[in-house]
Structures are given as structure tokens and as C-alpha cells.
Amino acid sequence: MLLTVLLLDENPRLQWRKVATEYFQETGDWTVYSLFPCIILKEGDYFDKDQEIGNGRYTLSQEASWNGKFSTLPVIGGTLPHYAENAGLFISQMEDKSGYPFPEIETGVSSVALIELRDESFRILRSRRLRKDRES
């Protein structure tokens, strides 16, 4: 499966990785490690499309939502590319029923990537930095 995703800046990526580890310890859901923390925009190859991200800052729901393939924290604030569909921060490949309390973390992005996801592994096929608006 191909996914077009936004890659997190270093600080929020490290914070979300820590949250993922805590989530695994609490729930035992090992699929949290099947993909790194990223904002899934849409299934498929949209890498060459216009990638408008505004200032690159996103607000995420603190409650996980199942989109049919992944549990994500839906994007509730920030500028997303026009093609994005049910965009959210990857949590796991299992439907979240735990009501786990996810923290509010200011999340910034600066790159887009095309990822090939297979059962328990992934690989980044392409990635590039994005230009952010200079206005906040």
C-alpha cells in the first residue's frame, strides 16, 4: 500500500515516539511500531501534487479515530493539501477502543513523503522538504 504523508519536525517526532512507546506499554498494541509518527494525508501516490501546508503547524484531536485502515489522531487545525482525506497522525493499525488519553502536542511538519507500507514494515520511496508560508 502506498501512502502520502507529512513528516514531522524533529521535536514533535521525538515527543510522539515517546507517546507511542507509552501507548504500547499500556495497551500492548505492537502495530504502533509498524510506521513512524507522521500525518497520513491519503492512501495512494500524491507526492507530485501541490502540497500546501500553510505555516506547517497542526492541531490534532486527543481522541483516536478509526479511518478504516488505521487509528489516527485527526487533524483539527492547520492547512492541508486539497487532496487530503481523513488526515491524521498515525497511531496504530488496530482499531482503537481503549479511550487512551493522548496528550496535546504542538505538531509541526516540513516535508512530504511517499511511503510503501507492507504488513509489518515500511520504506520511504521519496521525500522532499516543503515551503512554509511566512505568516503565522
Side-chain angles (χ1 to χ4, degrees):
M1 161 189 335
L2 293 178
L3 298 173
T4 303
V5 304
L6 293 175
L7 302 178
L8 305 185
D9 293 333
E10 183 177 13
N11 191 40
R13 180 181 55 80
L14 294 173
Q15 289 178 309
W16 282 115
R17 176 52 69 203
K18 183 177 182 225
V19 169
T21 299
E22 292 166 356
Y23 175 79
F24 168 71
Q25 291 170 342
E26 180 74 24
T27 66
D29 178 1
W30 62 268
T31 67
V32 71
Y33 296 116
S34 59
L35 186 60
F36 53 88
C38 61
I39 294 177
I40 299 173
L41 295 174
K42 190 168 183 176
E43 186 176 342
D45 181 354
Y46 294 86
F47 185 83
D48 292 323
K49 300 279 187 195
D50 182 33
Q51 307 292 341
E52 178 60 44
I53 62 166
N55 63 10
R57 293 188 188 122
Y58 293 93
T59 305
L60 306 169
S61 171
Q62 291 178 271
E63 187 174 323
S65 175
W66 179 249
N67 71 8
K69 295 191 181 204
F70 308 104
S71 283
T72 64
L73 296 180
V75 172
I76 56 175
T79 304
L80 291 168
H82 68 282
Y83 63 84
E85 188 174 277
N86 298 321
L89 180 83
F90 174 79
I91 296 298
S92 92
Q93 289 185 316
M94 297 182 74
E95 188 170 359
D96 180 54
K97 296 179 183 175
S98 67
Y100 187 85
F102 290 95
E104 185 175 328
I105 296 175
E106 183 176 320
T107 302
V109 303
S110 57
S111 302
V112 64
L114 180 64
I115 296 175
E116 180 181 39
L117 181 66
R118 294 191 178 173
D119 299 322
E120 298 171 14
S121 67
F122 67 87
R123 71 182 171 140
I124 298 174
L125 301 176
R126 299 171 72 188
S127 69
R128 67 181 160 96
R129 294 196 54 81
L130 297 173
R131 184 178 179 160
K132 297 179 186 182
D133 291 344
R134 294 193 179 2
E135 298 176 14
S136 306

